[in-house]
Amino acid sequence: MEEKKAADNRISVTRTAEDLSLSDDEDYADESGFEANSSIGGSQSASTEKLNLAKRETQAVFKLRLLVFVVLSLAAVAVSIIVFLVTKNAEKDEYRNQYDAAAQKVVESFIDIVNSKLQAVSSLGVAMIAHGVDHYRQWPFVTLSSFQQRTSTARAQSGALYVHVNPMVREADRKGWEEFVVTEENYWITQGLEYQENVGLLDFSSKTDISPMLNSMDAYPIWVRDEDGVPVKDTAGAPYMPTWQTSPVYHGGATLNENLLQNSLSSKGLNASFYSSSVVIGDMLTAPPGGMDSNNSHSAMMALMLSTAHNKTEQYEGDPMSQVFFPIFNSFEDDREPVAVMVAWISWISYFQDQLPKSLQGVHVVLHSTCSGDFTYEINGEEVRYLGRGDLHEEIFDDMKQSATFESLENIGDGTKTGLPLNKDECMMSIDVYPSTKFYEAYNTSTPIVMTFVTACVFVFTVCMFLLYDRLVERRQALVMQKAVESNAIVTSLFPENVRDRLVQMNNDSKKDKEGGAFGLRQSHRLKAHLRGAEDDGSNEAPIADLFPRCTVLFADIAGFTAWSSTRSPEQVFTLLQTVYQAFDKIAKRRKVFKVETIGDSYLAVCGLPEPQPEHAIIMVKFAWDCLQKMHEVTRELECSLGPDTGDLAMRFGLHSGPVTAGVLRGERARFQLFGDTVNTASRMESTGERGKIQVSQDTADLIKESCRDHWLVPREDKVSAKGKGMLQTYWILNPTKQKDSSSFEGSGEGESRSEHMGDISTRHSISRSVRKEPKNQRLIEWMVDLLMDDVKKIVHIRRQFGQKESKTPLAHVPAEGTTCMDEVKTSIEMAKFNAKKASSFTADYSNVKIDSSVVDSLREFVGIIASKYRDNPFHNFEHACHVTMSVKKLLKRIMVAPELTPAEVAKLKKNPNNLASRLHDSTYGITSDPLAMLAISMSALIHDVDHRGVSNMQLSTEDKELGDRYSNKSVAEQNSLDLSWEILMEDRFDALRRCLFTSQAELLRFRQIVVNMVLATDIFDKELNGLRKNRWEKAFDERGGSNDSNLRATIVIEHVIQASDVSHTMQHWHVYQKWNRFLFLEMHKAYCQGRMAKDPSTFWYQGEIGFFDNYVIPLAKKLKECGVFGVSSDEYLNYAIQNRNEWEERGQSIVKGLVQEALACLEEQEV
């Protein structure tokens, strides 16, 4: 009985242990065996239970492992196959789409030959008819005036290489015709040659004019070529079609009066066109490849036509050409009769050029002619290669053929009602377009295989990770199973049957409760409330307006824009606004935000209309953040082209959510507008915001919180005052792209997947990193290089226009020992001598001038070295040099024709560029016609403060006695800057740069002279120099009759340019003045604290600035106006100077107090 009870106890306790172990942990157990001790008998039974439990767990784990492995393997194979097929099909689709687009473009270009190109030649025929009718001239005795100019335009539009007119001459008119051609009617030959000389076409043909020879003759017979090609008199009899007017004029007009009815190449087409009164496309004409010097006359002629058409020497490659014949009639009446034929030579290859992008290579075009057979071309992007005669396309692509033919075209337009019919009885043209193996291989890449391999690798990695995880689970489960077996043994040994049964029952109840609780917890409760805007039923009643109850409005403004724009030209201002807001527009389109308008530098957008957006606030916050990041990127990129401080610009954003009234305000310029308190509050959010931040109202913040994005918000410490609303609590937006978890991407209502969103962010960050890698000084260096290169291009452009070449010998200048820059200062610098042609070409477009890359690199290296020579002063630093240079360029660009000219006089001068250039030269004292002087002025601004020590010249002479002695304690800093910069420029590594800038030693010395005068002019505290400048000014610009010496006036003007630019911050926007005034104060206060300045600047700064305005700045601005060459800039500078002076007088004392506190704080920070 005892043994039986013990056995029952073991069984019961074993079950309990199983239940406990399985309910306590849902993982799987180890496969290995276990050892357990039983304090009561039946160890064999306990061991059996242990083995059974282990066996069951091992089988379950093995089955699950096998199942997962099989599923992963099958998934790997299936997904890899799918990836391969999808990417392969995508390549095929791309291949087909690109080919279809390319073929369609070629077909359209082919049809366009008749529909558009040849119309230009046909219209020229109409001009000849009109000329004959209007001047009552009888054919064939008609000569079209300005034939070369008109035909050149027609040839450019049609692609024709050569055009000539062949009137029909009957036997009765032959004598009169032969006398007609030797009269003054042959003036078109001389005019044509003159025109060709002006455009540089006489390099390809004889310049001899046969007109004088013709005019000395009584008659010039109609002629033909004999079997040897020698011209002989035509004795075959009428009719005749002699060559009359031609474009271009070849061989001085020697082709005149050749009867082409006896020419085998042209006679068939002439007859067909004349007698059918239709346009005829002639046979395909080919010749052996060759140049203009070829022994084959046809090859030489075709090369000549190509060279004159392209204005450069061309080789004829053997591709076919055709003659197109256009009938010319005696009137525009219905019963008109043909009287002549105009012949246009065309090269078929030209119609397939520049049709496709460079990326499309290997499109085959087979050109079919019913008269001459087939010809094959290969199009490789913009270039076309003639493959040869016959259909040479690859047959494997027959099923992809696309065709076009002239058969379906009826007329060629010529400006008349009916146009000219296209003759279909003669040669008819068509094309077939095919891809090639070359084209196919561009889209048959290894990408599908690579993608498949990557996918397979991902799955292999997944399987490996699974096996690793499984191994870790096995080890954990071994411990769990060990504990379970131990528990099983303990329960079996400790609890009697009744207790065991209760434990089992409690365990079962606990399991039920857990299952029920789990079921209850797993019930889904999803919020499905959607915010919907008011819907317009399309009423036609005016006004067009509606209320949208759930919207978010954004106002954005560029902080610092007003001050920044005051130092820029209008073109630069619009470049910034256009670049920034176009970028914003792209983001708005992607985010589905509605852009309302831009007002100045402000940007207004709304989300939630015209289509309702449930999460309008979330979308708008993301839009504002994207725009904030984009502004950061764009301004730093533009700093290389728009100059200093561009990268410091930032946006302010303000957002508010609520109802918005939107509609169309009708009037002369109807606009879509927003109205309501929401718009006003959003505007207030922007105006009270801070640069580089996004401020949102409480209402917008509440919507963000409802979307579980509280982590985006940071409450603003101070409250914002809003009209009619009192004090408002607002919030700043943190980076909304940083999500707490992946679920925050769901339900955004933006219609974009997580992968798309993350793709946008990664792209943006990659751009941002590339911008951040380039420090501000490097961007300023690139901007300075571009600015100086602009002047270099002007110099090189004029030099090339007049055939001047760079110097072959090294150019350098080392000042004589014992002399200083001060010794070189001249009262009057000689400007370049005036040359009307050079001056007019100076105003021409030079932007496409190519400068050797070694010169550009050399200039960049020079500017970089100069930048490195500037010390880290608050004011006298490289950034300030860039600011001065920018002002110099602005003033130079504003130099204009003398203001006393009326608009009518200016318009009259513009008709003659030479007269305009002469007047501009006189009114600006020769500065505008001297590009070398312009470069010297810009270079002076760049180097004028190199190695500045941040102290006055007097202090510098004390600190560096050797330097002071070298320059006799006069303009020490300025002369030191000059010498350091000049030594760098004269180094051997800049030899290529010097030879590009100067053609002679004289030019180099004149350049130095301007630089010396300019840099030393920036020393405004030298009383002796100031006295000399005052005397020169009175001598040159005295109202009672100053000197007429233009060189003296030019010298004074350019010195005033650098002087005004050096203190230009005082004559610009108040914020710009404040910025540089602050830097100068900090520099001088630092010098005072270091014992390098005798007097504390805070004691005299307020009155000193007023005196500086009254005694220097404002008088200087007035002199700019009195010079009479700066136009509105002189008024702008004077007005800003007066405004800043008055503003400083009112606010200067409080500003000085703030500057003192800031300076002391900076010193304390440096000491720490």
Side-chain angles (χ1 to χ4, degrees):
M1 289 292 292
E2 291 179 358
E3 291 179 359
K4 185 176 183 299
K5 286 182 179 179
D8 291 341
N9 286 338
R10 285 195 297 271
I11 295 172
S12 177
V13 174
T14 300
R15 289 175 182 164
T16 302
E18 290 176 12
D19 291 339
L20 286 173
S21 64
L22 293 177
S23 62
D24 288 344
D25 202 303
E26 298 177 355
D27 293 329
Y28 300 104
D30 195 358
E31 307 166 317
S32 60
F34 310 78
E35 291 185 2
N37 297 322
S38 179
S39 60
I40 60 177
S43 61
Q44 182 178 356
S45 178
S47 177
T48 302
E49 290 295 330
K50 175 187 70 176
L51 293 174
N52 290 336
L53 181 60
K55 183 178 181 180
R56 287 194 300 272
E57 293 299 323
T58 300
Q59 289 176 348
V61 170
F62 177 77
K63 290 179 181 179
L64 183 58
R65 182 187 295 120
L66 182 61
L67 177 63
V68 172
F69 183 78
V70 171
V71 169
L72 286 175
S73 299
L74 292 176
V77 174
V79 173
S80 298
I81 293 174
I82 292 172
V83 167
F84 179 81
L85 294 177
V86 169
T87 52
K88 193 67 177 178
N89 289 335
E91 281 193 344
K92 290 181 179 179
D93 292 342
E94 179 69 9
Y95 156 67
R96 184 73 201 204
N97 292 337
Q98 291 291 343
Y99 165 69
D100 288 343
Q104 185 62 31
K105 182 68 176 176
V106 173
V107 166
E108 291 175 357
S109 175
F110 180 72
I111 296 299
D112 193 52
I113 296 174
V114 171
N115 286 342
S116 177
K117 299 289 187 181
L118 295 182
Q119 286 185 13
V121 181
S122 182
S123 299
L124 188 63
V126 172
M128 296 204 71
I129 298 174
H131 186 82
V133 172
D134 294 344
H135 294 81
Y136 305 102
R137 303 292 293 269
Q138 295 296 320
W139 287 86
F141 307 104
V142 175
T143 303
L144 179 62
S145 60
S146 302
F147 183 78
Q148 191 65 238
Q149 288 81 353
R150 298 189 191 196
T151 312
S152 295
T153 301
R155 286 193 294 111
Q157 294 173 350
S158 65
L161 305 176
Y162 181 44
V163 175
H164 52 86
V165 179
N166 293 77
M168 175 61 75
V169 177
R170 307 294 181 181
E171 189 64 44
D173 295 324
R174 175 170 181 172
K175 183 175 182 301
W177 171 259
E178 292 177 343
E179 294 173 351
F180 174 77
V181 298
V182 300
T183 65
E184 292 182 354
E185 291 292 327
N186 61 36
Y187 69 89
W188 61 268
I189 299 175
T190 302
Q191 286 186 353
L193 290 172
E194 290 175 353
Y195 176 83
Q196 289 171 209
E197 182 177 12
N198 291 335
V199 298
L201 293 182
L202 288 188
D203 296 338
F204 309 110
S205 180
S206 172
K207 302 180 182 180
T208 303
D209 185 354
I210 70 167
S211 297
M213 182 269 289
L214 293 175
N215 295 338
S216 65
M217 301 170 62
D218 295 330
Y220 187 63
I222 297 174
W223 56 276
V224 296
R225 298 183 185 274
D226 63 13
E227 295 178 352
D228 298 325
V230 178
V232 297
K233 184 176 181 180
D234 188 353
T235 58
Y240 310 99
M241 276 197 169
T243 300
W244 181 225
Q245 290 182 279
T246 69
S247 176
V249 179
Y250 289 135
H251 310 300
T255 58
L256 179 69
N257 239 21
E258 179 183 4
N259 181 19
L260 293 189
L261 284 180
Q262 301 298 324
N263 187 304
S264 60
L265 298 180
S266 306
S267 59
K268 180 181 177 182
L270 287 170
N271 281 311
S273 176
F274 186 85
Y275 291 108
S276 66
S277 298
S278 61
V279 178
V280 173
I281 300 177
D283 294 344
M284 306 289 269
L285 306 176
T286 60
M292 291 185 291
D293 56 351
S294 174
N295 294 329
N296 187 295
S297 60
H298 291 162
S299 300
M301 182 61 183
M302 291 177 175
L304 175 61
M305 288 191 290
L306 290 171
S307 298
T308 52
H310 300 152
N311 202 9
K312 63 179 181 178
T313 302
E314 295 277 9
Q315 292 287 317
Y316 170 63
E317 302 298 338
D319 53 291
M321 297 185 181
S322 292
Q323 298 176 88
V324 184
F325 303 88
F326 300 83
I328 299 177
F329 302 94
N330 60 352
S331 72
F332 293 106
E333 304 299 331
D334 293 340
D335 58 348
R336 62 184 183 176
E337 295 180 356
V339 292
V341 174
M342 182 180 296
V343 184
W345 289 70
I346 62 173
S347 174
W348 292 99
I349 197 171
S350 66
Y351 295 116
F352 303 126
Q353 291 172 338
D354 300 322
Q355 296 299 319
L356 301 182
K358 293 181 179 179
S359 58
L360 296 182
Q361 303 277 321
V363 176
H364 284 177
V365 178
V366 180
L367 180 63
H368 305 286
S369 169
T370 57
C371 299
S372 308
D374 302 332
F375 303 85
T376 305
Y377 302 87
E378 181 180 83
I379 303 178
N380 296 305
E382 298 175 353
E383 303 296 328
V384 182
R385 183 166 64 96
Y386 174 60
L387 298 182
R389 183 183 289 270
D391 187 344
L392 304 180
H393 84 278
E394 300 174 46
E395 295 181 358
I396 59 174
F397 299 107
D398 283 350
D399 60 327
M400 300 185 71
K401 177 178 74 173
Q402 293 198 31
S403 303
T405 179
F406 289 167
E407 190 71 34
S408 60
L409 305 177
E410 298 296 335
N411 293 313
I412 295 178
D414 59 359
T416 63
K417 181 171 66 176
T418 60
L420 292 175
L422 180 63
N423 191 310
K424 300 179 181 178
D425 296 330
E426 298 298 326
C427 299
M428 199 43 31
M429 311 300 296
S430 63
I431 61 168
D432 292 330
V433 184
Y434 305 90
S436 66
T437 300
K438 181 179 181 181
F439 186 91
Y440 172 76
E441 287 178 350
Y443 299 92
N444 184 31
T445 67
S446 59
T447 300
I449 297 175
V450 172
M451 293 294 291
T452 303
F453 176 75
V454 170
T455 304
C457 289
V458 169
F459 274 95
V460 169
F461 176 77
T462 304
V463 171
C464 293
M465 293 302 296
F466 166 73
L467 294 176
L468 177 61
Y469 174 76
D470 183 65
R471 179 59 183 164
L472 295 175
V473 170
E474 280 187 19
R475 293 177 60 186
R476 178 177 179 274
Q477 287 304 103
L479 296 174
V480 172
M481 185 57 66
Q482 182 179 351
K483 295 295 182 182
V485 172
E486 291 174 356
S487 299
N488 183 30
I490 293 171
V491 172
T492 302
S493 63
L494 295 177
F495 295 102
E497 182 176 2
N498 59 338
V499 176
R500 181 191 64 203
D501 292 342
R502 290 179 61 188
L503 287 173
V504 170
Q505 184 62 42
M506 291 174 62
N507 182 63
N508 292 335
D509 292 342
S510 177
K511 289 174 67 177
K512 290 180 180 179
D513 291 341
K514 287 185 177 182
E515 289 176 359
F519 178 80
L521 292 173
R522 285 195 294 266
Q523 296 300 312
S524 299
H525 300 282
R526 300 182 62 189
L527 181 63
K528 297 183 178 180
H530 296 282
L531 301 176
R532 299 182 180 277
E535 185 172 336
D536 185 8
D537 61 358
S539 173
N540 293 324
E541 296 182 1
I544 303 174
D546 205 349
L547 174 66
F548 296 86
R550 297 177 181 87
C551 297
T552 297
V553 177
L554 173 144
F555 265 94
D557 185 78
I558 302 178
F561 175 80
T562 304
W564 179 90
S565 62
S566 72
T567 65
R568 264 64 178 187
S569 65
E571 295 83 1
Q572 292 176 315
V573 172
F574 273 80
T575 297
L576 173 75
L577 293 177
Q578 181 170 292
T579 305
V580 170
Y581 289 149
Q582 280 183 351
F584 286 7
D585 291 346
K586 292 179 180 178
I587 299 173
K589 185 176 181 180
R590 175 169 59 83
R591 290 287 186 190
K592 296 185 179 178
V593 169
F594 185 81
K595 172 195 173 181
V596 180
E597 63 180 343
T598 57
I599 306 172
D601 62 320
S602 298
Y603 191 92
L604 174 60
V606 61
C607 187
L609 67 85
E611 297 297 331
Q613 291 279 10
E615 293 205 345
H616 50 88
I618 302 301
I619 296 172
M620 189 58 88
V621 168
K622 291 183 178 182
F623 168 72
W625 183 262
D626 288 348
C627 292
L628 189 66
Q629 297 296 96
K630 180 58 70 173
M631 178 68 178
H632 181 79
E633 298 165 12
V634 168
T635 52
R636 276 150 184 77
E637 291 170 357
L638 288 178
E639 192 163 39
C640 295
S641 58
L642 298 185
D645 302 330
T646 304
D648 297 334
L649 296 175
M651 297 297 298
R652 283 194 309 266
F653 291 92
L655 279 69
H656 179 61
S657 302
V660 171
T661 299
V664 178
L665 278 180
R666 295 179 176 178
E668 184 177 350
R669 292 181 177 88
R671 292 192 302 169
F672 182 82
Q673 292 285 290
L674 305 181
F675 302 93
D677 183 65
T678 300
V679 180
N680 297 334
T681 306
S683 176
R684 189 61 177 163
M685 292 298 101
E686 179 275 318
S687 62
T688 59
E690 295 180 8
R691 55 184 290 117
K693 290 187 177 182
I694 303 170
Q695 182 172 225
V696 301
S697 65
Q698 182 69 57
D699 291 346
T700 303
D702 291 342
L703 293 175
I704 295 173
K705 292 176 182 178
E706 288 178 9
S707 298
C708 300
R709 292 172 170 88
D710 310 52
H711 56 285
W712 290 7
L713 301 169
V714 174
R716 181 168 178 169
E717 295 180 359
D718 57 324
K719 292 189 176 182
V720 172
S721 174
K723 184 177 180 181
K725 292 181 175 290
M727 303 304 293
L728 301 179
Q729 175 64 57
T730 62
Y731 297 81
W732 302 118
I733 292 293
L734 294 179
N735 186 350
T737 62
K738 293 182 178 179
Q739 306 295 341
K740 283 186 175 180
D741 51 49
S742 60
S743 64
S744 61
F745 285 97
E746 298 173 1
S748 67
E750 295 173 54
E752 57 182 16
S753 67
R754 172 180 174 144
S755 62
E756 290 170 340
H757 185 87
M758 294 302 291
D760 293 340
I761 292 173
S762 64
T763 301
R764 180 175 67 248
H765 286 181
S766 67
I767 295 173
S768 181
R769 284 193 297 269
S770 69
V771 172
R772 287 197 296 266
K773 286 179 182 177
E774 190 175 15
K776 183 172 184 177
N777 256 24
Q778 187 59 41
R779 296 195 299 270
L780 292 179
I781 289 172
E782 290 301 323
W783 170 79
M784 183 67 74
V785 170
D786 287 345
L787 183 144
L788 295 176
M789 191 52 62
D790 186 69
D791 289 328
V792 174
K793 286 183 177 181
K794 294 177 187 176
I795 295 172
V796 174
H797 171 67
I798 293 180
R799 188 178 298 158
R800 291 176 180 174
Q801 288 284 321
F802 291 86
Q804 296 177 338
K805 296 182 179 179
E806 295 180 1
S807 174
K808 295 182 179 179
T809 58
L811 295 173
H813 171 72
V814 178
E817 188 173 351
T819 63
T820 64
C821 298
M822 188 68 73
D823 300 329
E824 300 180 39
V825 175
K826 285 188 176 181
T827 302
S828 174
I829 302 173
E830 185 177 355
M831 295 288 109
K833 293 183 179 180
F834 179 68
N835 182 310
K837 290 185 178 180
K838 280 189 178 182
S840 60
S841 59
F842 178 63
T843 60
D845 182 25
Y846 55 86
S847 58
N848 294 325
V849 172
K850 300 297 182 184
I851 304 296
D852 190 88
S853 59
S854 63
V855 175
V856 180
D857 293 340
S858 185
L859 179 60
R860 182 177 291 107
E861 182 182 6
F862 174 75
V863 175
I865 294 174
I866 292 297
S868 68
K869 295 297 182 182
Y870 273 88
R871 298 183 180 238
D872 190 18
N873 300 316
F875 183 85
H876 293 95
N877 53 34
F878 180 62
E879 184 178 355
H880 181 255
C882 293
H883 184 267
V884 173
T885 307
M886 183 166 57
S887 176
V888 164
K889 294 301 290 186
K890 181 177 179 179
L891 284 172
L892 292 178
K893 285 185 177 180
R894 292 292 179 90
I895 291 180
M896 52 178 284
V897 178
E900 68 271 9
L901 291 177
T902 65
E905 290 174 322
V906 174
K908 184 178 180 180
L909 286 173
K910 285 184 177 180
K911 294 180 179 179
N912 189 325
N914 290 345
N915 289 345
L916 178 61
S918 176
R919 189 60 180 268
L920 185 61
H921 172 89
D922 294 340
S923 63
T924 60
Y925 317 123
I927 298 174
T928 55
S929 51
D930 191 349
L932 188 65
M934 305 281 268
L935 175 63
I937 296 169
S938 300
M939 190 73 76
S940 302
L942 168 63
I943 69 171
H944 78 286
D945 275 336
V946 164
D947 194 39
H948 198 286
R949 313 289 175 86
V951 293
S952 66
N953 277 327
M954 183 181 298
Q955 179 65 27
L956 180 59
S957 297
T958 303
E959 292 180 1
D960 193 337
K961 194 171 185 310
E962 181 182 351
L963 196 66
D965 292 341
R966 183 191 308 168
Y967 300 122
S968 302
N969 297 323
K970 295 180 66 65
S971 302
V972 179
E974 291 75 15
Q975 294 195 75
N976 182 50
S977 298
L978 268 169
D979 283 344
L980 283 177
S981 304
W982 191 259
E983 287 175 8
I984 295 170
L985 183 60
M986 292 301 110
E987 291 179 4
D988 292 342
R989 55 179 158 175
F990 299 118
D991 178 64
L993 175 62
R994 295 195 300 272
R995 284 191 282 110
C996 175
L997 300 180
F998 317 114
T999 59
S1000 64
Q1001 189 72 10
E1003 283 190 354
L1004 172 63
L1005 294 176
R1006 192 167 69 86
F1007 175 84
R1008 174 177 171 82
Q1009 184 63 66
I1010 297 173
V1011 172
V1012 167
N1013 266 51
M1014 289 281 287
V1015 174
L1016 292 180
T1018 61
D1019 184 3
I1020 61 176
F1021 296 106
D1022 188 299
K1023 294 182 179 181
E1024 182 180 345
L1025 288 176
N1026 284 336
L1028 292 174
R1029 295 187 192 110
K1030 183 177 180 181
N1031 291 335
R1032 281 191 305 165
W1033 174 270
E1034 292 175 353
K1035 180 180 179 181
F1037 293 102
D1038 194 311
E1039 295 180 356
R1040 293 167 295 180
S1043 171
N1044 290 325
D1045 185 351
S1046 63
N1047 287 331
L1048 175 62
R1049 292 191 172 189
T1051 305
I1052 295 173
V1053 168
I1054 62 177
E1055 287 181 355
H1056 279 70
V1057 166
I1058 192 71
Q1059 288 175 339
S1061 298
D1062 196 28
V1063 294
S1064 61
H1065 63 281
T1066 63
M1067 296 179 274
Q1068 291 168 349
H1069 191 274
W1070 169 254
H1071 291 165
V1072 179
Y1073 165 62
Q1074 280 291 87
K1075 170 185 173 179
W1076 290 108
N1077 180 57
R1078 168 176 164 267
F1079 287 152
L1080 183 57
F1081 178 87
L1082 293 177
E1083 182 175 304
M1084 296 180 71
H1085 191 273
K1086 179 181 178 182
Y1088 168 72
C1089 293
Q1090 293 175 343
R1092 304 173 69 201
M1093 183 173 178
K1095 194 173 183 180
D1096 183 352
S1098 62
T1099 61
F1100 61 82
W1101 199 258
Y1102 173 71
Q1103 289 296 337
E1105 285 295 290
I1106 294 177
F1108 188 57
F1109 273 111
D1110 292 341
N1111 300 319
Y1112 183 75
V1113 175
I1114 294 176
L1116 178 60
K1118 290 180 178 179
K1119 286 184 177 180
L1120 292 180
K1121 186 177 180 66
E1122 292 171 14
C1123 288
V1125 297
F1126 295 108
V1128 296
S1129 281
S1130 56
D1131 293 324
E1132 176 188 347
Y1133 276 42
L1134 179 58
N1135 291 338
Y1136 270 127
I1138 295 173
Q1139 291 172 13
N1140 289 338
R1141 191 264 186 213
N1142 295 336
E1143 188 83 7
W1144 177 260
E1145 186 176 25
E1146 181 180 345
R1147 301 171 52 188
Q1149 291 178 334
S1150 62
I1151 292 174
V1152 170
K1153 291 179 181 179
L1155 291 176
V1156 172
Q1157 294 175 358
E1158 181 183 358
L1160 293 175
C1162 290
L1163 289 174
E1164 291 177 2
E1165 184 178 342
Q1166 291 174 2
E1167 291 176 359
V1168 173

